Coordinates of all heavy atoms in Angstrom, one line a residue:
I81 N 90.1 -54.5 28.9 CA 90.4 -53.4 28.0 C 91.5 -52.6 28.5 O 92.4 -52.2 27.8 CB 89.1 -52.5 27.8 CG1 88.0 -53.3 27.1 CG2 89.4 -51.3 27.1 CD1 86.7 -52.6 27.1
K82 N 91.5 -52.3 29.8 CA 92.5 -51.4 30.5 C 93.9 -52.1 30.6 O 94.9 -51.6 30.3 CB 92.0 -50.9 31.8 CG 92.9 -49.9 32.4 CD 92.2 -49.3 33.6 CE 92.9 -48.0 34.2 NZ 92.2 -47.4 35.3
N83 N 93.9 -53.4 31.1 CA 95.1 -54.0 31.5 C 95.8 -54.8 30.3 O 97.0 -54.9 30.2 CB 94.9 -55.1 32.6 CG 94.4 -54.4 33.9 OD1 94.5 -53.2 34.0 ND2 93.9 -55.2 34.8
I84 N 94.9 -55.2 29.4 CA 95.5 -56.0 28.2 C 95.5 -55.1 27.0 O 96.4 -55.3 26.1 CB 94.6 -57.2 27.9 CG1 94.6 -58.2 29.2 CG2 95.2 -58.0 26.7 CD1 93.8 -59.4 29.0
G85 N 94.6 -54.2 26.8 CA 94.6 -53.3 25.7 C 93.7 -53.8 24.5 O 93.9 -53.4 23.4
V86 N 92.8 -54.7 24.8 CA 91.8 -55.2 23.8 C 91.0 -54.0 23.3 O 90.4 -53.3 24.1 CB 90.9 -56.3 24.4 CG1 89.8 -56.6 23.5 CG2 91.8 -57.5 24.7
S87 N 90.9 -53.9 22.0 CA 90.1 -52.8 21.4 C 88.8 -53.2 20.9 O 88.0 -52.3 20.6 CB 91.0 -52.1 20.3 OG 91.3 -53.0 19.3
H88 N 88.6 -54.5 20.7 CA 87.3 -54.9 20.2 C 86.6 -55.7 21.3 O 87.0 -56.9 21.6 CB 87.4 -55.8 18.9 CG 87.9 -55.0 17.7 ND1 89.3 -54.8 17.5 CD2 87.3 -54.5 16.7 CE1 89.4 -54.1 16.4 NE2 88.2 -53.9 15.9
Y89 N 85.5 -55.2 21.8 CA 84.9 -55.8 23.0 C 83.4 -55.5 22.9 O 83.0 -54.4 22.7 CB 85.5 -55.2 24.3 CG 85.3 -56.1 25.5 CD1 86.4 -56.9 26.0 CD2 84.1 -56.3 26.2 CE1 86.3 -57.7 27.1 CE2 84.0 -57.1 27.3 CZ 85.1 -57.8 27.7 OH 84.9 -58.6 28.8
C90 N 82.6 -56.5 23.2 CA 81.1 -56.3 23.3 C 80.7 -56.9 24.6 O 80.9 -58.1 24.9 CB 80.4 -57.0 22.1 SG 78.6 -57.0 22.3
M91 N 79.9 -56.1 25.4 CA 79.3 -56.6 26.7 C 77.9 -56.9 26.4 O 77.2 -56.1 25.7 CB 79.4 -55.5 27.7 CG 80.8 -55.2 28.2 SD 80.8 -54.0 29.6 CE 80.1 -52.6 28.9
V92 N 77.4 -58.1 26.9 CA 76.0 -58.4 26.8 C 75.5 -58.7 28.2 O 76.0 -59.5 28.9 CB 75.8 -59.7 26.0 CG1 74.4 -60.0 25.8 CG2 76.5 -59.5 24.6
E93 N 74.4 -58.0 28.6 CA 73.9 -58.1 30.0 C 72.4 -58.0 30.0 O 71.9 -57.0 29.4 CB 74.5 -57.0 30.9 CG 73.9 -56.9 32.3 CD 73.9 -58.2 33.0 OE1 75.0 -58.8 33.0 OE2 72.9 -58.5 33.6
A94 N 71.7 -58.9 30.6 CA 70.3 -59.0 30.6 C 69.6 -58.0 31.5 O 68.5 -57.6 31.3 CB 69.8 -60.4 30.9
N95 N 70.3 -57.7 32.6 CA 69.7 -56.9 33.7 C 69.5 -55.4 33.2 O 70.5 -54.7 33.0 CB 70.6 -56.9 34.9 CG 69.9 -56.3 36.2 OD1 69.0 -55.5 36.0 ND2 70.4 -56.7 37.3
P96 N 68.3 -55.0 33.1 CA 68.0 -53.6 32.6 C 68.3 -52.6 33.6 O 68.3 -51.4 33.3 CB 66.5 -53.7 32.2 CG 65.9 -54.7 33.1 CD 67.0 -55.8 33.3
R97 N 68.6 -52.9 34.8 CA 68.8 -52.0 35.9 C 70.3 -51.6 36.0 O 70.6 -50.7 36.8 CB 68.4 -52.5 37.2 CG 66.9 -53.1 37.3 CD 65.9 -51.9 37.3 NE 64.6 -52.4 37.4 CZ 63.7 -52.7 36.5 NH1 64.1 -52.4 35.2 NH2 62.5 -53.1 36.7
L98 N 71.2 -52.2 35.2 CA 72.6 -52.0 35.4 C 73.2 -51.0 34.4 O 74.4 -50.7 34.5 CB 73.3 -53.3 35.3 CG 73.1 -54.3 36.4 CD1 74.0 -55.6 36.2 CD2 73.4 -53.7 37.7
G99 N 72.4 -50.5 33.4 CA 73.0 -49.6 32.4 C 73.7 -48.4 33.0 O 74.8 -48.1 32.6
K100 N 73.1 -47.7 34.0 CA 73.6 -46.5 34.5 C 74.9 -46.8 35.3 O 75.9 -46.1 35.1 CB 72.6 -45.9 35.5 CG 73.1 -44.6 36.1 CD 72.1 -44.0 37.0 CE 72.6 -42.7 37.7 NZ 71.5 -42.1 38.6
I101 N 75.0 -47.8 36.1 CA 76.1 -48.1 36.9 C 77.3 -48.6 36.0 O 78.5 -48.3 36.3 CB 75.8 -49.1 38.0 CG1 77.0 -49.1 39.0 CG2 75.5 -50.5 37.5 CD1 76.7 -49.9 40.3
V102 N 77.0 -49.4 34.9 CA 78.0 -49.8 34.0 C 78.7 -48.6 33.4 O 80.0 -48.6 33.4 CB 77.4 -50.7 32.9 CG1 78.5 -51.0 31.9 CG2 76.9 -52.0 33.5
R103 N 78.0 -47.7 32.9 CA 78.6 -46.5 32.3 C 79.4 -45.7 33.3 O 80.4 -45.1 33.0 CB 77.5 -45.7 31.6 CG 77.0 -46.3 30.3 CD 75.8 -45.5 29.7 NE 75.5 -46.0 28.4 CZ 74.7 -47.0 28.1 NH1 74.2 -47.7 29.2 NH2 74.5 -47.4 26.9
E104 N 78.9 -45.6 34.5 CA 79.6 -44.9 35.5 C 80.9 -45.6 35.9 O 81.9 -44.9 36.1 CB 78.7 -44.7 36.8 CG 79.4 -44.1 38.0 CD 79.7 -42.6 37.7 OE1 79.4 -42.1 36.7 OE2 80.4 -42.0 38.6
N105 N 80.9 -46.9 35.9 CA 82.2 -47.6 36.2 C 83.2 -47.4 35.1 O 84.4 -47.2 35.4 CB 81.9 -49.1 36.4 CG 81.1 -49.4 37.7 OD1 81.1 -48.6 38.6 ND2 80.5 -50.5 37.7
F106 N 82.8 -47.3 33.9 CA 83.8 -47.0 32.8 C 84.3 -45.6 32.9 O 85.5 -45.4 32.7 CB 83.1 -47.3 31.4 CG 83.2 -48.7 31.0 CD1 82.4 -49.7 31.4 CD2 84.2 -49.1 30.1 CE1 82.5 -51.0 31.0 CE2 84.4 -50.4 29.7 CZ 83.5 -51.4 30.1
R107 N 83.4 -44.7 33.3 CA 83.8 -43.3 33.4 C 84.8 -43.2 34.6 O 85.9 -42.5 34.4 CB 82.6 -42.4 33.7 CG 83.0 -40.9 33.7 CD 81.8 -40.1 34.3 NE 81.6 -40.3 35.7 CZ 82.3 -39.7 36.7 NH1 83.3 -38.9 36.4 NH2 82.1 -40.0 37.9
L108 N 84.5 -43.8 35.7 CA 85.4 -43.7 36.9 C 86.8 -44.4 36.5 O 87.8 -44.0 37.1 CB 84.8 -44.4 38.1 CG 83.6 -43.8 38.7 CD1 83.0 -44.7 39.7 CD2 84.0 -42.4 39.3
S109 N 86.8 -45.4 35.7 CA 88.0 -46.1 35.4 C 88.7 -45.5 34.2 O 89.8 -46.0 33.8 CB 87.6 -47.6 35.1 OG 87.0 -48.2 36.1
S110 N 88.2 -44.5 33.6 CA 88.8 -43.8 32.5 C 89.0 -44.8 31.3 O 90.1 -44.8 30.7 CB 90.1 -43.1 32.9 OG 89.9 -42.2 33.9
V111 N 88.0 -45.6 31.0 CA 88.1 -46.6 29.9 C 87.0 -46.2 28.9 O 85.8 -46.0 29.4 CB 87.9 -48.0 30.5 CG1 87.8 -49.0 29.3 CG2 89.1 -48.3 31.4
P112 N 87.3 -46.2 27.6 CA 86.2 -46.0 26.6 C 85.1 -47.0 26.7 O 85.4 -48.2 26.9 CB 87.0 -46.0 25.3 CG 88.4 -45.8 25.7 CD 88.6 -46.4 27.0
F113 N 83.9 -46.6 26.6 CA 82.7 -47.5 26.7 C 82.6 -48.3 25.4 O 82.5 -47.7 24.3 CB 81.5 -46.7 27.0 CG 80.3 -47.6 27.5 CD1 80.4 -48.1 28.7 CD2 79.2 -47.8 26.7 CE1 79.3 -48.9 29.2 CE2 78.2 -48.6 27.1 CZ 78.2 -49.2 28.4
P114 N 82.6 -49.7 25.5 CA 82.6 -50.5 24.3 C 81.1 -50.7 23.9 O 80.2 -50.1 24.4 CB 83.2 -51.8 24.8 CG 82.8 -51.9 26.2 CD 82.8 -50.5 26.7
I115 N 80.9 -51.7 23.0 CA 79.5 -52.0 22.6 C 78.9 -52.7 23.8 O 79.5 -53.5 24.5 CB 79.6 -53.0 21.4 CG1 80.2 -52.3 20.2 CG2 78.2 -53.5 21.1 CD1 80.4 -53.2 19.0
W116 N 77.6 -52.3 24.1 CA 76.9 -52.9 25.2 C 75.5 -53.2 24.7 O 74.8 -52.4 24.2 CB 76.8 -51.9 26.3 CG 76.2 -52.4 27.6 CD1 76.8 -53.4 28.4 CD2 74.9 -52.1 28.2 NE1 76.0 -53.6 29.5 CE2 74.8 -52.9 29.4 CE3 73.9 -51.3 27.9 CZ2 73.7 -52.8 30.2 CZ3 72.8 -51.2 28.7 CH2 72.7 -52.0 29.9
K117 N 75.1 -54.5 24.9 CA 73.8 -55.0 24.4 C 73.0 -55.4 25.7 O 73.4 -56.3 26.4 CB 73.9 -56.1 23.4 CG 74.5 -55.6 22.1 CD 74.6 -56.8 21.1 CE 75.1 -56.3 19.7 NZ 74.2 -55.4 19.0
N118 N 71.8 -54.8 25.9 CA 71.0 -55.1 27.1 C 70.0 -56.2 26.7 O 68.8 -55.9 26.6 CB 70.3 -53.8 27.5 CG 69.6 -53.9 28.8 OD1 68.9 -53.1 29.2 ND2 69.9 -55.0 29.6

Side-chain angles (χ1 to χ4, degrees):
I81 295 170
K82 189 171 187 176
N83 298 345
I84 301 176
V86 169
S87 57
H88 292 83
Y89 204 105
C90 173
M91 296 187 294
V92 184
E93 172 54 47
N95 191 338
R97 306 288 185 261
L98 293 182
K100 181 180 177 180
I101 192 171
V102 171
R103 287 176 171 81
E104 176 64 4
N105 289 340
F106 272 83
R107 186 191 70 80
L108 291 172
S109 301
S110 300
V111 174
F113 196 69
I115 297 171
W116 189 69
K117 293 183 177 291
N118 191 191

